[in-house]
């Protein structure tokens, strides 16, 4: 198996993730210069195809803002996100404090970093919002949540060929 045969995992956990079926999806995608994906989610199809350009959309503004910030800030943003993954941040109290900050901040950079933190610390990576639009997924109680640094770097490099839209 060559490196090009390996599938690239998305850096986010995501309900409805297409990673497990990406080969079946690729088999029916048209040969074209641009892939238009209206439900990008974790980006599994984007990460595992090779089009000249991508138009990637999703209804979740937190997700699209995260992708745009990662695309524009790259390694600096990845380093910033990594600061949220320390042993003292893997507690229920810290999780709910960060969830409260996420729900109240207007700082899109902070909110995007917290989106990754919440995604990796929440129960099963669940992304759920209440009727007021607040993220309300519960704490996941993981022994040592994984920070997806290499996966984020790959996404960043590949995102140079993409336009993200909510």
């Amino acid at each position: 198996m060559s490196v090009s045969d390996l599938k690239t995992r998305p850096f986010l956990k995501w309900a409805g993730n297409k990673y497990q079926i990406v080969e079946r999806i690729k088999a029916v995608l048209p040969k074209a210069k641009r892939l238009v994906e209206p439900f990008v989610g974790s980006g599994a199809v984007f990460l595992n195809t090779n089009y000249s350009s991508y138009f990637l959309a999703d209804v979740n503004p937190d997700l699209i803002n995260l992708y745009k910030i990662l695309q524009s800030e790259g390694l600096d943003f990845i380093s910033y996100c990594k600061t949220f993954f320390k042993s003292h941040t893997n507690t229920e109290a810290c999780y709910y404090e960060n969830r409260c900050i996420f729900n109240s901040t207007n700082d899109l950079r902070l909110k995007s970093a917290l989106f990754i933190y919440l995604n990796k610390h929440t129960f099963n990576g669940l992304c759920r919002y209440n009727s007021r639009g607040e993220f309300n997924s519960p704490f996941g109680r993981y022994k040592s949540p994984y920070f997806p640094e290499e996966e984020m770097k790959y996404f960043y490099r590949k995102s140079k060929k993409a336009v993200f839209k909510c």
Side-chain angles (χ1 to χ4, degrees):
M1 178 182 292
S2 74
V3 172
S4 63
D5 293 331
L6 297 175
K7 289 193 293 184
T8 301
R9 283 198 176 276
F11 69 89
L12 294 172
K13 297 178 190 178
W14 204 256
N17 185 349
K18 302 173 199 98
Y19 179 77
Q20 297 297 330
I21 60 169
V22 75
E23 293 306 319
R24 287 190 285 168
I25 293 170
K26 285 170 53 176
V28 296
L29 287 175
K31 296 205 181 317
K33 291 182 180 179
R34 184 179 212 195
L35 176 67
V36 176
E37 192 172 359
F39 309 106
V40 69
S42 69
V45 175
F46 159 63
L47 293 169
N48 288 285
T49 54
N50 193 24
Y51 287 86
S52 298
S53 67
Y54 296 84
F55 185 85
L56 307 172
D58 203 282
V59 70
N60 185 324
D62 296 325
L63 178 68
I64 296 301
N65 286 329
L66 163 60
Y67 290 163
K68 286 180 175 181
I69 288 172
L70 178 55
Q71 181 184 47
S72 67
E73 294 188 25
L75 301 180
D76 287 338
F77 179 67
I78 294 168
S79 294
Y80 174 60
C81 293
K82 194 172 187 174
T83 67
F84 292 89
F85 285 76
K86 306 291 183 199
S87 59
H88 70 275
T89 65
N90 187 26
T91 66
E92 191 167 358
C94 188
Y95 173 83
Y96 287 111
E97 181 180 330
N98 280 329
R99 190 178 80 173
C100 184
I101 294 167
F102 175 86
N103 285 326
S104 62
T105 189
N106 291 320
D107 179 337
L108 292 180
R109 185 175 200 254
L110 172 60
K111 190 167 188 137
S112 293
L114 287 173
F115 191 76
I116 296 169
Y117 167 87
L118 294 171
N119 178 262
K120 295 299 184 176
H121 288 80
T122 193
F123 179 74
N124 285 341
L126 185 65
C127 182
R128 182 181 71 194
Y129 297 85
N130 64 23
S131 61
R132 293 183 304 273
E134 297 169 327
F135 187 94
N136 71 347
S137 300
F139 182 60
R141 301 185 198 287
Y142 296 104
K143 187 173 185 173
S144 182
Y146 173 70
F147 180 68
E149 185 171 2
E150 293 306 314
E151 294 88 340
M152 290 177 73
K153 286 177 181 177
Y154 183 81
F155 190 102
Y156 162 64
R157 289 189 302 270
K158 188 145 187 174
S159 73
K160 294 175 184 181
K161 296 176 9 176
V163 171
F164 297 98
K165 183 77 172 162
C166 188

